[in-house]
Amino acid sequence: MSLNIFLAFLLAFSIVQSQELSPTKIFLLAGQSNMAGRGGVNNNTWNMIIPPESTPRPFILRLSLDKTWVVAHEPLHKDIDYTKVCGVGPGMPFAHELLAKDPNFGVIGLVPCAIGGTNITQWAKGSEDYTKLVQRADASLRSGGKIEALLWYQGESDTVSHNQTDGNIYKERLYNFFTNIRSDLNCPNLPIIQVALASGFNSTLEEIVRAVQLENDLPNLQTVDAKGLPLEGDGLHLSTPAQVQLGKMLADAFLNNFPKPIQ
């Protein structure tokens, strides 16, 4: 971490501590590794390069593992996706872009919940990851604020050849997840912005999953397409510049499609 970024973090931390800020607008981040963030990670080592769009700011908070609000900083998912090496993800650039486009947007609360390597069945209602997502979402509301949207990036693990992904089955499981999470959060109109895959383990299965994601035929569901964004050397994970671009795409999707609060 550079000296400038460290000083920015200290400044943001001091402002939050002195004003006891809590978020007014909350965003859930879930899915697998590309949502958790692997930007700058190669050979299980993060290069610790943080772009300007991911630097700490006093009006961008994150819900920590112990469910308290703290100044957000990369890696956003470090204490959540803790069995993996995390790097830069789309969450911080997303929040930066919201504030850049609307300086009066308010204090943003990011709730990291993504877990690398998870397939869609691991997000079924009653599963460990699903239950933790609901628990963390509920905890995020204790200090006030409102959940504005779920940001969702998942599907690479469903392109592993031995899974033999069927489009109809994947769609059923995915839409069940969306429906269940809306129901359990008591927000039937919760905006959901999902990411169509940029990569996968099997090109045929990747296209099957992408086709489902691009159908986009649920109310208050938007899809941004990550295909073509640059990848890290493993050919699977988005690079840091790609994560910055994805964060901006997610912010634009939210601002352009959900301009007024959903009650």
Side-chain angles (χ1 to χ4, degrees), residues 32 118-120 152-161 163-171 173-175 178 194-216 223 225:
Q32 53 182 118
T118 49
N119 59 49
I120 192 62
W152 174 256
Y153 192 165
Q154 188 279 333
E156 294 92 344
S157 289
D158 292 278
T159 69
V160 177
S161 58
N163 287 339
Q164 292 297 306
T165 300
D166 176 273
N168 291 328
I169 294 175
Y170 183 80
K171 181 175 181 177
R173 291 169 175 168
L174 178 65
Y175 282 24
F178 290 157
Q194 68 172 336
V195 182
L197 295 183
S199 58
F201 293 96
N202 176 289
S203 59
T204 300
L205 298 180
E206 178 188 335
E207 288 309 310
I208 290 174
V209 172
R210 279 177 48 79
V212 171
Q213 295 168 334
L214 292 169
E215 284 184 20
N216 206 52
T223 302
D225 194 351

Side-chain angles (χ1 to χ4, degrees), residues 102-229:
D102 182 0
N104 298 315
F105 191 80
V107 180
I108 296 171
L110 302 175
V111 184
C113 301
I115 302 295
T118 49
N119 59 49
I120 192 62
T121 61
Q122 291 173 270
W123 292 95
K125 184 181 175 74
S127 67
E128 179 182 2
D129 294 325
Y130 180 91
T131 300
K132 287 182 178 179
L133 169 59
V134 173
Q135 290 173 343
R136 287 178 58 75
D138 288 342
S140 73
L141 297 171
R142 291 173 187 166
S143 57
K146 175 180 176 291
I147 296 175
E148 296 288 333
L150 165 67
L151 308 184
W152 174 256
Y153 192 165
Q154 188 279 333
E156 294 92 344
S157 289
D158 292 278
T159 69
V160 177
S161 58
H162 65 74
N163 287 339
Q164 292 297 306
T165 300
D166 176 273
N168 291 328
I169 294 175
Y170 183 80
K171 181 175 181 177
E172 180 182 3
R173 291 169 175 168
L174 178 65
Y175 282 24
N176 281 343
F177 166 73
F178 290 157
T179 301
N180 288 333
I181 197 66
R182 283 171 166 169
S183 175
D184 286 338
L185 296 181
N186 296 311
C187 188
N189 296 316
L190 176 71
I192 298 173
I193 307 174
Q194 68 172 336
V195 182
L197 295 183
S199 58
F201 293 96
N202 176 289
S203 59
T204 300
L205 298 180
E206 178 188 335
E207 288 309 310
I208 290 174
V209 172
R210 279 177 48 79
V212 171
Q213 295 168 334
L214 292 169
E215 284 184 20
N216 206 52
D217 56 357
L218 277 182
N220 290 326
L221 171 66
Q222 293 293 320
T223 302
V224 300
D225 194 351
K227 194 68 173 179
L229 293 179

Side-chain angles (χ1 to χ4, degrees), residues 209-258:
V209 172
R210 279 177 48 79
V212 171
Q213 295 168 334
L214 292 169
E215 284 184 20
N216 206 52
D217 56 357
L218 277 182
N220 290 326
L221 171 66
Q222 293 293 320
T223 302
V224 300
D225 194 351
K227 194 68 173 179
L229 293 179
L231 304 173
E232 292 290 358
D234 60 9
L236 185 66
H237 295 110
L238 296 182
S239 66
T240 294
Q243 289 285 18
V244 170
Q245 182 60 30
L246 178 60
K248 293 179 178 180
M249 292 164 62
L250 289 166
D252 287 342
F254 177 77
L255 293 173
N256 292 335
N257 292 285
F258 308 108

